[in-house]
Every structure is written in C-alpha cells, then in structure tokens.
Amino acid sequence: MKGRNYIDGRWIEGAVFTTYSPSDLDEKVGEYPLAGQAAAEEALAAARRALPGWKRFNMQARSDILRRAGDALLARADEIGRLLAREEGKTLKEGIGETVRAAHVFHFYSGEVLRHPGQWFNSMRDGHNILVSYEPVGVVAAITPWNFPIAIPAWKTAAALAYGNTVVLKPSNNVPGCAVLLAEILAQAGIPEGVFNLVIGSGGTVGTALITGADAVTFTGGTETGRKVLQTAALSMTKVQLELGGKNPFIVLDDADLDLAVEAAAQGSWLQTGQRCTGSERIIVTERVHDAFVDRLVARVARFKVGHALDPDTEIGPVANQMQFDQNLEFVALAKLEGAELAFGGTPVEARTRGLYLAPTLLLNTRNDMAINRHESFGPIAGVIKVADLEEAIAVANDCDYALSSGIATTSLRSAEKFRRESGAGLVMINTPTAGLDYHVPFGGRPPSGYGGRETGAASAEFFTEIKTSYINHGVV
Ligand code: NAD
C-alpha cells in the first residue's frame, strides 16, 4: 500500500517509512510519508478555513456524506479488514468485524446529524424564553493508537463531523494504512476540502502541534502519553478527551455458571491477542471455585490456535510489534520473579512464518500488589488472584490505578447488583466479557483510564459541542 497524507482536499505523496506484517516480518505492508510540524499546521489552517462552511452545511447533505462513508466501509470491509489484519496482526475475522463496526458507527452518526437536539425553556422573566443550543467545538484533532486502527479513527471522526466540527486525524505510525483508506472513503463520499485532513507523523512533533493549534483534542492511547497530552493542552486551553489504558478485573464467584465464566474470561483476556484496553488482565476468583475454574480455564487456553493473521483457523494473531512483543516477554519474566506460577504459555510460538507469535499466557498464585497486577501488559497475559468472597473480590477489583472496564460471573442477582453499584470502573459487564462494546451507548473509563467525557453514542455530543444559552425577549406574556 502507498500511503499518503490528505490535507485541504489534496493528496500528499512521499515514502519515508515502511510497515511490516507482524505475522511475517519479511512481508512489507505499506510505505508512508512522515509529516512534520509544517504539515500539521497546514492541516489545522485548512480545517479552520473549512469550519464556517461545514458549520452551516446543509444537514441532509452532511448526513448523506456520513451515510455514504458508512456504505463504502461496508462495501470494502473485506479489503480494509485484510489490510488491518496484515498490518496490525488481528485475525482476518477480527479485522473485517472491526471495519463493519466502523461502518455502523458512520451510519449511526449519519442519523445523529438529524437527531441532535437543543432545549427550549420558559424564563422567569415575563415575555422571555431561553434557548440552549449546542454548537460545534471547532477544529478537532483526533490522535489514535494502533490497536483499533479503523474503529477508533471512525468513531472520533464520524462524531466530530456529525456535530459540525472539522477534523485533523493523526493515526499511530505503527498501523496507519486503514486511516489512509478512511481518508480516501471520505473524499469519495464528498467531504468538502479541509473538513477532514489526515496527517501521519510522530506524536511528539505532529501530535504536539495538533493539540496546541486545535480547539479540541480527542485522544486514545496509553495513560502516560495521555498525561503529556493533558499537559500540552493545558497551555493552549485546548478542550481534551482522553481514553487511556486499563487493568481490567473479571470476578468469578462460587455460584458462577462455570462454562460461561471460563468462556467470558478466555475471550476477555486473549482474543485480539489481549491488545484491547478493555481486556481482562486480572481474573479474581473466590476460593471455593478457584481450583475447578482454573483447571477448566487452562484447558480452554490450550485450545486457542495461535498463528498467521490471515490463516482461516487462527484465533489469536501475532503481537502487533517488536516492542510490544519484547515487553510481553519481560512481563512474564517479572511475573516469575515475583513468584507467580506459569500455568500456560509465556513463550514464543513457532508458526509457518517469521512472526511475533506469543502463546496465550495464564499466571496463577498472583497477588494484587505484584507489579504484574498493577501495570497494563496490553498483551495476551492474564493473572489469577484468589480471594475469600465477594467483599474481598470487589475490594481487589477496585484497588487499581486504572478504572476502565470490570466484570463479574455470578448467578446471584444480588451479588451482580452489589458489584455493579460498587465497581469504580466506567464499564461494568455482568456475565459477559470485560471487552466488547456497542456503538450506540457511552464508552469510556474514569480517571486515570479516561478523562473529559465519553465517546460513542449520543453522549459524545457533550465533548464535540459547546453550549450556548440565549435569552430571547419576544414580548409576548
Ligand atoms: P500511545 O500512547 O503510545 O500512542 C497513541 C497515539 O498518541 C499515537 O498516535 C502516538 O503517535 C501519539 N502520541 C505519542 N506521544 C504523543 C505526544 N507527546 N503528544 C501527542 N500525541 C502523542 O498508545 P499506543 O501504544 O498506540 O496504544 C496502546 C494504548 O492505548 C494502551 O495503553 C491501551 O490501553 C490504550 N487504548 C485505550 C483505549 C480506550 O478507549 N480507553 C482504546 C484503545 C487503546
């Protein structure tokens, strides 16, 4: 694939860096230009010029552009899903599924353009009414990570555009291919010049320039990067939305349906190679069911088929990049040093190609105060923590430096409801994996896993708009 930047309706060529498939390090996937500060500023200027026109753009026409983009994503789901699988390492099924999700998101926001409300109040002043309207926040910088290279750019871009903002998207340099195809799709769907711009570049240079020059920045990535984004944004008073890391707990109680609990833990911890911010990294199990649950979980993990992302029977693709792969192995070594017992995996896996394959890894006898249970691994690695009862399980689940997703397996409505109320996370999953979300409802974590308002669904309007309160003296009492 030949990647290009897209600024002010123009494609900008240049091949500076190359991506390789994590399934086969000898396979080149794409060549991309690396933009610098000047290109970022050019894109911001184009987005600012285009803003007044897009704000008053005909509602139906704006909705139609988003719908056409969704249609094109659906029509090209196999092609985009394949590129995603080759460049990021997700299985082909996961890559196509993510692209279909991106299409649905565009369709949802195509409807939101028409549904977006204002509020009309009676006033305490006779002869007056008050209109509360929601106006676009302005030029939005969208900065995205490598692990959902089409879904996250889609849900940030579609929402920002729907509410009348113009956009500069900076995807992760690790997996930029899908963002280039998204730009192509938006251009073909009729997006006016400058309304959507794509700049591929480094976080330090392009990211900083975008945060400083935009009116709002919607960022998804690691928690430490998020802190830097917040600091940069503070100086320019740029509005900030952050979706960050997780160390998500999944609780299994004595009364759980064990088949369901094992499957939910397995899917939550290891699908998509564990590279999901909502993945289950801490499995908290009450002591009476611990041994039976663990025996079944080990048997389930052993059945996962690790392999090339494009092989039809692969269930877990490779780790996305060398740095992540090395960190995962270091994480396992640290776990052993801390006294955890390796029940499965923890080693590279041989496959038909030279890729970054790691066995799904299960650690037993871990404690919540071990470093491996405090830091996000962002890999196919989960640790089991044994606890006495529900009270201790909730305390352990909440004793964490992240607050994104949390889950429980139980057949007791009372226990489920107690957990739902007492969990400190932004997402609570009952008898279902901690990962996996619907696009029509709010998504996100609480600090330090999230900051500045929720994404997806109509809730995203809160971030992508500014309130205007207008008092109108019409004189009629
Ligand atoms: P990252 O923080 O390294 O990078 C994310 C983006 O930020 C990239 O585009 C990068 O170029 C850019 N960036 C880096 N430094 C920057 C700076 N100083 N200023 C501005 N931008 C900068 O994250 P990653 O490794 O790409 O993604 C993995 C992380 O993302 C994990 O921690 C994961 O939990 C998190 N994540 C969170 C969610 C969520 O919704 N909560 C979803 C997916 C991933």
Side-chain angles (χ1 to χ4, degrees):
M1 137 141 230
K2 281 259 181 274
R4 296 176 292 175
N5 284 315
Y6 185 66
I7 299 175
D8 206 11
R10 285 176 293 114
W11 288 102
I12 293 152
E13 311 263 349
V16 176
F17 73 97
T18 305
T19 58
Y20 293 87
S21 170
S23 293
D24 182 350
L25 297 172
D26 299 317
E27 184 200 341
K28 227 186 222 187
V29 178
E31 289 182 334
Y32 302 92
L34 192 69
Q37 186 170 336
E41 285 168 359
E42 211 184 304
L44 286 166
R48 198 158 296 287
R49 280 194 303 276
L51 187 60
W54 186 244
K55 273 184 180 175
R56 53 172 188 264
F57 204 74
N58 178 270
M59 240 174 121
Q60 183 64 58
R62 188 193 297 169
S63 171
D64 289 345
I65 290 173
L66 296 184
R67 195 197 63 251
R68 284 197 293 273
D71 292 347
L73 282 162
L74 268 188
R76 296 176 65 178
D78 285 2
E79 173 206 346
I80 299 171
R82 178 169 287 268
L83 172 67
L84 198 168
R86 285 177 65 220
E87 199 163 60
E88 197 264 1
K90 246 170 231 195
T91 67
L92 185 56
K93 188 172 156 218
E94 288 168 343
I96 294 171
E98 188 183 325
T99 312
V100 170
R101 168 60 54 101
H104 290 155
V105 165
F106 267 92
H107 285 158
F108 176 83
Y109 283 107
S110 162
E112 274 309 281
V113 172
L114 310 180
R115 279 190 294 267
H116 186 49
Q119 290 164 311
W120 184 246
F121 289 83
N122 293 325
S123 173
M124 290 158 198
R125 308 170 196 195
D126 292 341
H128 289 61
N129 279 115
I130 304 168
L131 175 66
V132 177
S133 53
Y134 297 85
E135 300 189 344
V137 67
V139 173
V140 169
I143 302 180
T144 58
W146 50 260
N147 69 323
F148 283 99
I150 189 68
I152 294 180
W155 81 50
K156 290 185 186 306
T157 299
L161 294 176
Y163 299 121
N165 305 282
T166 55
V167 174
V168 183
L169 170 65
K170 192 208 90 60
S172 163
N173 286 351
N174 287 315
V175 189
C178 293
V180 176
L181 294 187
L182 179 63
E184 193 178 292
I185 281 171
L186 281 165
Q188 285 164 0
I191 198 92
E193 285 170 8
V195 171
F196 172 83
N197 306 272
L198 171 71
V199 182
I200 301 167
S202 83
T205 312
V206 168
T208 303
L210 294 183
I211 298 163
T212 306
D215 299 308
V217 55
T218 171
F219 170 89
T220 301
T223 299
E224 282 319 307
T225 320
R227 280 186 218 282
K228 286 186 200 154
V229 169
L230 196 53
Q231 280 168 349
T232 308
L235 294 176
S236 48
M237 287 205 192
T238 304
K239 191 175 181 182
V240 186
Q241 178 182 57
L242 305 173
E243 289 298 346
L244 308 173
K247 188 76 193 171
N248 309 296
F250 183 73
I251 297 174
V252 179
L253 294 187
D254 292 342
D255 62 15
D257 170 336
L258 272 200
D259 289 338
L260 181 152
V262 167
E263 201 48 41
Q267 291 187 14
S269 300
W270 295 294
L271 291 189
Q272 298 195 23
T273 324
Q275 298 170 154
R276 290 183 289 186
C277 52
T278 49
S280 315
E281 295 201 4
R282 294 181 298 147
I283 304 175
I284 301 166
V285 188
T286 48
E287 55 198 9
R288 275 200 1 242
V289 76
H290 177 273
D291 293 356
F293 171 79
V294 160
D295 285 350
R296 286 162 81 158
L297 190 61
V298 172
R300 175 67 186 91
V301 180
R303 289 209 308 278
F304 275 125
K305 175 94 181 62
V306 178
H308 194 293
L310 298 182
D311 288 351
D313 56 347
T314 295
E315 294 170 300
I316 297 181
V319 173
N321 57 60
Q322 188 71 53
M323 195 177 85
Q324 202 67 37
F325 186 79
D326 295 344
Q327 276 174 10
N328 288 343
L329 287 174
E330 281 166 24
F331 209 86
V332 175
L334 176 64
K336 286 194 206 155
L337 266 182
E338 287 189 304
E341 176 195 333
L342 190 58
F344 194 85
T347 49
V349 173
E350 288 292 320
R352 66 176 178 80
T353 47
R354 195 173 70 86
L356 300 170
Y357 303 106
L358 185 65
T361 301
L362 180 64
L363 302 160
L364 302 181
N365 298 330
T366 78
R367 292 188 323 272
N368 202 43
D369 62 0
M370 288 178 173
I372 53 153
N373 280 325
R374 310 306 299 182
H375 304 295
E376 183 184 43
S377 75
F378 213 56
I381 303 169
V384 173
I385 303 169
K386 196 195 283 188
V387 293
D389 53 21
L390 174 64
E391 290 291 341
E392 190 185 351
I394 295 175
V396 167
N398 285 340
D399 175 15
C400 183
D401 297 330
Y402 295 92
L404 182 50
S405 186
S406 63
I408 191 166
T410 176
T411 50
S412 158
L413 176 60
R414 192 168 184 279
S415 300
E417 178 58 11
K418 181 176 166 64
F419 175 66
R420 194 192 68 74
R421 289 179 190 220
E422 294 182 15
S423 169
L427 301 163
V428 177
M429 307 295 200
I430 294 169
N431 290 321
T432 195
T434 55
L437 58 105
D438 283 9
Y439 58 84
H440 66 302
V441 290
F443 167 78
R446 296 179 181 175
S449 284
Y451 180 94
R454 293 293 190 264
E455 291 198 277
T456 73
S460 63
E462 198 184 315
F463 177 73
F464 287 112
T465 61
E466 287 290 350
I467 291 178
K468 181 176 276 174
T469 310
S470 311
Y471 290 74
I472 302 159
N473 178 0
H474 48 69
V476 181
V477 181

mmCIF file of all heavy atoms in Angstrom, residues 79 87 99 106 121-122 125 127 144 170 208 210 258 266 277 283 293 303 413 439:
data_model
loop_
_atom_site.group_PDB
_atom_site.id
_atom_site.type_symbol
_atom_site.label_atom_id
_atom_site.label_comp_id
_atom_site.label_asym_id
_atom_site.label_seq_id
_atom_site.Cartn_x
_atom_site.Cartn_y
_atom_site.Cartn_z
ATOM 1 N N GLU A 79 -11.566 -5.862 2.082
ATOM 2 C CA GLU A 79 -10.278 -5.264 1.699
ATOM 3 C C GLU A 79 -9.618 -4.553 2.891
ATOM 4 O O GLU A 79 -8.425 -4.754 3.185
ATOM 5 C CB GLU A 79 -10.558 -4.245 0.565
ATOM 6 C CG GLU A 79 -9.388 -3.402 0.156
ATOM 7 C CD GLU A 79 -9.805 -2.055 -0.447
ATOM 8 O OE1 GLU A 79 -10.995 -1.883 -0.779
ATOM 9 O OE2 GLU A 79 -8.937 -1.187 -0.568
ATOM 10 N N GLU A 87 -1.411 -5.538 8.691
ATOM 11 C CA GLU A 87 -0.545 -4.507 9.285
ATOM 12 C C GLU A 87 -0.528 -4.557 10.817
ATOM 13 O O GLU A 87 0.474 -4.280 11.443
ATOM 14 C CB GLU A 87 -0.997 -3.111 8.816
ATOM 15 C CG GLU A 87 0.053 -2.048 8.987
ATOM 16 C CD GLU A 87 -0.222 -0.796 8.164
ATOM 17 O OE1 GLU A 87 -1.273 -0.174 8.364
ATOM 18 O OE2 GLU A 87 0.651 -0.436 7.332
ATOM 19 N N THR A 99 -13.963 -3.407 10.837
ATOM 20 C CA THR A 99 -14.328 -2.490 9.745
ATOM 21 C C THR A 99 -15.846 -2.349 9.653
ATOM 22 O O THR A 99 -16.374 -1.244 9.436
ATOM 23 C CB THR A 99 -13.755 -3.004 8.408
ATOM 24 O OG1 THR A 99 -12.376 -3.334 8.595
ATOM 25 C CG2 THR A 99 -13.891 -1.967 7.317
ATOM 26 N N PHE A 106 -20.433 5.118 11.391
ATOM 27 C CA PHE A 106 -20.749 6.201 10.446
ATOM 28 C C PHE A 106 -22.251 6.270 10.195
ATOM 29 O O PHE A 106 -22.835 7.360 10.129
ATOM 30 C CB PHE A 106 -19.962 6.029 9.136
ATOM 31 C CG PHE A 106 -18.662 6.785 9.163
ATOM 32 C CD1 PHE A 106 -17.496 6.177 9.597
ATOM 33 C CD2 PHE A 106 -18.605 8.121 8.788
ATOM 34 C CE1 PHE A 106 -16.300 6.876 9.660
ATOM 35 C CE2 PHE A 106 -17.420 8.833 8.840
ATOM 36 C CZ PHE A 106 -16.254 8.211 9.280
ATOM 37 N N PHE A 121 -36.503 26.592 26.996
ATOM 38 C CA PHE A 121 -37.003 26.750 28.373
ATOM 39 C C PHE A 121 -37.934 27.954 28.466
ATOM 40 O O PHE A 121 -37.735 28.954 27.767
ATOM 41 C CB PHE A 121 -35.832 27.010 29.344
ATOM 42 C CG PHE A 121 -34.950 25.817 29.595
ATOM 43 C CD1 PHE A 121 -33.936 25.491 28.708
ATOM 44 C CD2 PHE A 121 -35.131 25.029 30.725
ATOM 45 C CE1 PHE A 121 -33.107 24.398 28.937
ATOM 46 C CE2 PHE A 121 -34.315 23.938 30.956
ATOM 47 C CZ PHE A 121 -33.303 23.616 30.066
ATOM 48 N N ASN A 122 -38.906 27.870 29.370
ATOM 49 C CA ASN A 122 -39.615 29.082 29.764
ATOM 50 C C ASN A 122 -38.670 29.866 30.667
ATOM 51 O O ASN A 122 -37.803 29.291 31.326
ATOM 52 C CB ASN A 122 -40.900 28.742 30.513
ATOM 53 C CG ASN A 122 -41.892 28.064 29.595
ATOM 54 O OD1 ASN A 122 -41.957 28.386 28.405
ATOM 55 N ND2 ASN A 122 -42.659 27.119 30.133
ATOM 56 N N ARG A 125 -38.385 35.477 33.557
ATOM 57 C CA ARG A 125 -38.694 36.848 33.145
ATOM 58 C C ARG A 125 -39.893 36.808 32.200
ATOM 59 O O ARG A 125 -39.829 36.127 31.173
ATOM 60 C CB ARG A 125 -37.498 37.456 32.419
ATOM 61 C CG ARG A 125 -36.230 37.322 33.211
ATOM 62 C CD ARG A 125 -35.053 37.696 32.362
ATOM 63 N NE ARG A 125 -33.834 37.221 32.994
ATOM 64 C CZ ARG A 125 -32.617 37.629 32.658
ATOM 65 N NH1 ARG A 125 -32.458 38.485 31.678
ATOM 66 N NH2 ARG A 125 -31.578 37.163 33.287
ATOM 67 N N GLY A 127 -42.328 37.369 29.263
ATOM 68 C CA GLY A 127 -42.070 37.755 27.874
ATOM 69 C C GLY A 127 -40.751 37.258 27.329
ATOM 70 O O GLY A 127 -40.304 37.717 26.271
ATOM 71 N N THR A 144 -4.877 8.806 17.527
ATOM 72 C CA THR A 144 -5.367 7.436 17.753
ATOM 73 C C THR A 144 -4.225 6.422 17.908
ATOM 74 O O THR A 144 -3.122 6.634 17.410
ATOM 75 C CB THR A 144 -6.299 7.019 16.599
ATOM 76 O OG1 THR A 144 -5.593 7.120 15.364
ATOM 77 C CG2 THR A 144 -7.534 7.900 16.536
ATOM 78 N N LYS A 170 -4.596 12.153 13.301
ATOM 79 C CA LYS A 170 -3.233 11.622 13.314
ATOM 80 C C LYS A 170 -3.285 10.188 13.854
ATOM 81 O O LYS A 170 -3.443 9.964 15.049
ATOM 82 C CB LYS A 170 -2.311 12.468 14.225
ATOM 83 C CG LYS A 170 -0.855 12.098 13.995
ATOM 84 C CD LYS A 170 0.041 12.322 15.194
ATOM 85 C CE LYS A 170 0.156 11.162 16.123
ATOM 86 N NZ LYS A 170 0.688 9.906 15.562
ATOM 87 N N THR A 208 1.917 17.157 19.142
ATOM 88 C CA THR A 208 2.003 18.389 19.939
ATOM 89 C C THR A 208 1.472 19.587 19.148
ATOM 90 O O THR A 208 0.718 20.415 19.685
ATOM 91 C CB THR A 208 3.469 18.637 20.371
ATOM 92 O OG1 THR A 208 3.901 17.483 21.089
ATOM 93 C CG2 THR A 208 3.613 19.860 21.242
ATOM 94 N N LEU A 210 -0.729 19.588 16.792
ATOM 95 C CA LEU A 210 -2.183 19.489 16.645
ATOM 96 C C LEU A 210 -2.892 19.883 17.943
ATOM 97 O O LEU A 210 -3.889 20.605 17.925
ATOM 98 C CB LEU A 210 -2.598 18.071 16.238
ATOM 99 C CG LEU A 210 -2.150 17.611 14.840
ATOM 100 C CD1 LEU A 210 -2.686 16.212 14.544
ATOM 101 C CD2 LEU A 210 -2.622 18.585 13.752
ATOM 102 N N LEU A 258 -20.023 -22.034 35.444
ATOM 103 C CA LEU A 258 -18.586 -22.156 35.135
ATOM 104 C C LEU A 258 -18.285 -22.139 33.643
ATOM 105 O O LEU A 258 -17.263 -21.603 33.207
ATOM 106 C CB LEU A 258 -18.004 -23.413 35.773
ATOM 107 C CG LEU A 258 -17.482 -23.251 37.205
ATOM 108 C CD1 LEU A 258 -16.508 -24.366 37.546
ATOM 109 C CD2 LEU A 258 -16.805 -21.904 37.433
ATOM 110 N N ALA A 266 -11.823 -16.254 29.022
ATOM 111 C CA ALA A 266 -10.931 -16.579 27.897
ATOM 112 C C ALA A 266 -11.061 -15.538 26.786
ATOM 113 O O ALA A 266 -10.061 -15.029 26.267
ATOM 114 C CB ALA A 266 -11.250 -17.977 27.370
ATOM 115 N N CYS A 277 -7.866 -2.303 25.293
ATOM 116 C CA CYS A 277 -7.846 -1.545 26.543
ATOM 117 C C CYS A 277 -8.839 -2.122 27.542
ATOM 118 O O CYS A 277 -8.678 -1.935 28.749
ATOM 119 C CB CYS A 277 -8.156 -0.084 26.261
ATOM 120 S SG CYS A 277 -9.666 0.107 25.311
ATOM 121 N N ILE A 283 -7.903 -11.823 36.777
ATOM 122 C CA ILE A 283 -9.064 -12.700 36.964
ATOM 123 C C ILE A 283 -9.125 -13.027 38.459
ATOM 124 O O ILE A 283 -8.216 -13.670 39.001
ATOM 125 C CB ILE A 283 -8.928 -13.975 36.108
ATOM 126 C CG1 ILE A 283 -8.734 -13.588 34.621
ATOM 127 C CG2 ILE A 283 -10.156 -14.858 36.272
ATOM 128 C CD1 ILE A 283 -8.458 -14.756 33.700
ATOM 129 N N PHE A 293 -12.340 -23.845 38.500
ATOM 130 C CA PHE A 293 -12.333 -22.819 37.447
ATOM 131 C C PHE A 293 -10.990 -22.804 36.716
ATOM 132 O O PHE A 293 -10.925 -22.798 35.479
ATOM 133 C CB PHE A 293 -12.635 -21.445 38.052
ATOM 134 C CG PHE A 293 -12.438 -20.313 37.088
ATOM 135 C CD1 PHE A 293 -13.389 -20.011 36.120
ATOM 136 C CD2 PHE A 293 -11.267 -19.546 37.115
ATOM 137 C CE1 PHE A 293 -13.187 -18.986 35.201
ATOM 138 C CE2 PHE A 293 -11.057 -18.516 36.209
ATOM 139 C CZ PHE A 293 -12.026 -18.239 35.258
ATOM 140 N N ARG A 303 -6.590 -24.664 24.008
ATOM 141 C CA ARG A 303 -7.263 -24.924 22.710
ATOM 142 C C ARG A 303 -7.123 -23.770 21.724
ATOM 143 O O ARG A 303 -7.409 -23.925 20.542
ATOM 144 C CB ARG A 303 -8.761 -25.187 22.947
ATOM 145 C CG ARG A 303 -9.081 -26.511 23.601
ATOM 146 C CD ARG A 303 -10.472 -27.026 23.183
ATOM 147 N NE ARG A 303 -11.527 -26.049 23.360
ATOM 148 C CZ ARG A 303 -12.160 -25.794 24.521
ATOM 149 N NH1 ARG A 303 -11.831 -26.477 25.582
ATOM 150 N NH2 ARG A 303 -13.123 -24.892 24.580
ATOM 151 N N LEU A 413 -28.367 -12.445 41.472
ATOM 152 C CA LEU A 413 -28.735 -11.078 41.082
ATOM 153 C C LEU A 413 -28.221 -10.086 42.129
ATOM 154 O O LEU A 413 -27.735 -9.005 41.808
ATOM 155 C CB LEU A 413 -30.266 -10.990 40.958
ATOM 156 C CG LEU A 413 -30.842 -9.614 40.647
ATOM 157 C CD1 LEU A 413 -30.307 -9.085 39.319
ATOM 158 C CD2 LEU A 413 -32.373 -9.666 40.611
ATOM 159 N N TYR A 439 -21.937 0.406 19.902
ATOM 160 C CA TYR A 439 -21.516 1.746 19.466
ATOM 161 C C TYR A 439 -22.567 2.827 19.722
ATOM 162 O O TYR A 439 -22.314 3.995 19.487
ATOM 163 C CB TYR A 439 -21.143 1.728 17.981
ATOM 164 C CG TYR A 439 -22.259 1.272 17.073
ATOM 165 C CD1 TYR A 439 -23.236 2.151 16.637
ATOM 166 C CD2 TYR A 439 -22.331 -0.054 16.669
ATOM 167 C CE1 TYR A 439 -24.271 1.723 15.826
ATOM 168 C CE2 TYR A 439 -23.361 -0.491 15.860
ATOM 169 C CZ TYR A 439 -24.322 0.391 15.440
ATOM 170 O OH TYR A 439 -25.349 -0.037 14.644
#
